[in-house]
Amino acid sequence: WKHSGRWLFHETFEGASALRYESFESLVDLHGLIDSESLHDECEGLFLTDSDRDQYLIEEIGLGRPLGIWSLKNTLRCRVSAALRKIGRPATKEELADLLSTSAQSIGSTLGNLPDVHRSDRFHWGFAEWIEDRYDGIVAEIEQRIEEYSGSVPESVLLSEIPEQFGVAEGSVRAYLSSSAFVVDNGMVRIASSSDYVPRPPAQCANAFRIGDQW
């Protein structure tokens, strides 16, 4: 047996495939999480107990284990992904923040940058495989239904479907419909043509700036 720090290795361990961080890079999913069975197979026969294995992987290899779910790193991105897996359904920023003991604001910033994680409605986020029809915002939902109805959709459909499905206020849908981006004619809604559309003055747009005569 050989000593290395606080660990005792059998002489055959170094001759076998000694565990390294790179050993687990091929095991992670899109969100940096590691399937527990795959991890068990990678470490099979190398440790006397599971608790020894877990301690070694965290302290020596640097893996994370947020909420009991293995991850390649212990970043907030991995922790948020693990929290979603733990809950097992689309969740709000507040639910995730409570589970991870952090702020809802930091959760919100992270969710928007996670691959294959989308909003199921105005408030809930989840993995793509959980969401049949993801929420992309009121304007996108209006445009989607106009397309589905071959260019013109009943206003009543928009005012009933979008609030009911995504938890937004009917008044918010009406506000977007009253903009120059859409035309409402005899109860039917279509996308405004270039001649109908009147864009907002650039001076009213956040972060807009002017160079000479150009915005």
Side-chain angles (χ1 to χ4, degrees):
W1 293 86
K2 299 180 180 181
H3 284 278
S4 177
R6 300 191 302 114
W7 293 89
L8 190 65
F9 297 89
H10 192 268
E11 60 184 8
T12 58
F13 182 77
E14 291 181 340
S17 56
L19 289 178
R20 303 181 307 277
Y21 182 83
E22 292 76 17
S23 304
F24 299 93
E25 288 184 320
S26 62
L27 303 180
V28 298
D29 65 10
L30 189 62
H31 308 99
L33 305 181
I34 303 173
D35 177 69
S36 58
E37 292 186 7
S38 299
L39 181 137
H40 174 79
D41 292 343
E42 185 72 21
C43 301
E44 188 173 11
L46 298 180
F47 296 90
L48 290 178
T49 67
D50 286 347
S51 61
D52 283 342
R53 177 200 64 192
D54 296 350
Q55 186 176 358
Y56 185 85
L57 294 180
I58 292 171
E59 294 180 359
E60 303 296 325
I61 303 296
L63 300 188
R65 203 183 186 191
L67 305 173
I69 298 174
W70 287 104
S71 61
L72 191 62
K73 300 178 181 179
N74 198 32
T75 61
L76 184 57
R77 287 166 62 96
C78 289
R79 292 169 59 212
V80 170
S81 297
L84 280 173
R85 288 291 179 202
K86 189 75 172 181
I87 293 174
R89 56 165 175 76
T92 65
K93 292 182 292 185
E94 290 72 23
E95 286 180 294
L96 296 169
D98 288 344
L99 198 57
L100 296 173
S101 299
T102 188
S103 70
Q105 182 177 0
S106 63
I107 295 293
S109 301
T110 302
L111 285 169
N113 292 309
L114 285 177
D116 226 26
V117 171
H118 308 293
R119 286 192 290 178
S120 61
D121 58 28
R122 183 183 175 189
F123 301 107
H124 292 79
W125 296 75
F127 295 114
E129 65 262 28
W130 297 348
I131 302 171
E132 184 175 347
D133 184 7
R134 77 184 198 186
Y135 176 62
D136 293 317
I138 293 176
V139 171
E141 295 301 330
I142 292 173
E143 292 175 342
Q144 176 184 321
R145 283 158 180 76
I146 290 175
E147 183 178 349
E148 290 172 352
Y149 276 76
S150 302
S152 184
V153 60
E155 182 180 23
S156 59
V157 170
L158 301 176
L159 296 177
S160 59
E161 280 190 5
I162 297 176
E164 180 180 351
Q165 185 172 351
F166 300 112
V168 300
E170 180 182 315
S172 297
V173 180
R174 290 185 181 278
Y176 280 104
L177 291 178
S178 65
S179 73
S180 59
F182 301 101
V183 174
V184 182
D185 185 17
N186 291 323
M188 301 296 291
V189 180
R190 60 178 171 82
I191 295 176
S193 64
S194 57
S195 59
D196 296 322
Y197 179 63
V198 181
R200 185 165 48 139
Q204 297 178 10
C205 298
N207 302 318
F209 59 93
R210 188 171 183 170
I211 300 177
D213 293 332
Q214 299 296 319
W215 284 95

